[in-house]
Amino acid sequence: EVEEALATLTAQVKGLKSISVSDRDGVKFISYRGGDGKSSQDSLEAGFALTADQISKLPHGACNSVTAVYEDQIVVHVNAYPLVITLVGNTDADAETLMHLAPRIREALTPLQSTISSALTN
């Protein structure tokens, strides 16, 4: 059900190549790669936790997302504690559009998020 939702979102959003959901250590729970199935997002998720922790030390509150623009892709990491949602788009993707997908993805992930949160507290 969640994977179908990710596949639908990937097909609907111009330039979106993949969506993955992992923990803060980079362990993937769900991953969907559209198109040719190729994406160089491996190990990007693990770096988000460190980056978000450092950015949160600034006097602007908690870090909710980080966007990185590379020569060949755009990567948006979204904090959905204890999960990290990573969206990878090609250079045609609009970073703001990718960020606006986060609430829809979070909603679909609520059962997984609850299960992992419960496991972490026990």
Side-chain angles (χ1 to χ4, degrees):
E1 182 178 311
V2 173
E3 290 168 344
E4 288 177 25
L6 297 182
T8 300
L9 283 175
T10 304
Q12 291 175 346
V13 178
K14 179 184 175 188
L16 180 57
K17 297 192 310 186
S18 66
I19 302 172
S20 66
V21 179
S22 64
D23 67 8
R24 292 175 52 89
D25 295 323
V27 177
K28 286 189 182 126
F29 295 106
I30 301 168
S31 184
Y32 180 80
R33 296 180 182 190
D36 61 7
K38 296 178 183 176
S39 176
S40 56
Q41 75 183 46
D42 296 336
S43 76
L44 291 173
E45 294 89 349
F48 170 76
L50 179 60
T51 301
D53 288 344
Q54 292 301 312
I55 291 172
S56 291
K57 292 178 181 178
L58 297 171
H60 305 294
C63 178
N64 296 317
S65 66
V66 172
T67 302
V69 180
Y70 299 96
E71 289 180 13
D72 62 343
Q73 65 184 2
I74 296 173
V75 179
V76 177
H77 296 290
V78 180
N79 186 12
Y81 186 81
L83 304 174
V84 175
I85 301 166
T86 301
L87 300 105
V88 178
N90 61 31
T91 55
D92 293 337
D94 177 60
E96 187 174 350
T97 299
L98 298 182
M99 288 179 62
H100 286 297
L101 292 176
R104 290 171 60 189
I105 298 169
R106 272 193 193 118
E107 185 177 321
L109 295 173
T110 300
L112 177 61
Q113 199 171 9
S114 298
T115 300
I116 294 171
S117 290
S118 293
L120 290 173
T121 58
N122 291 334

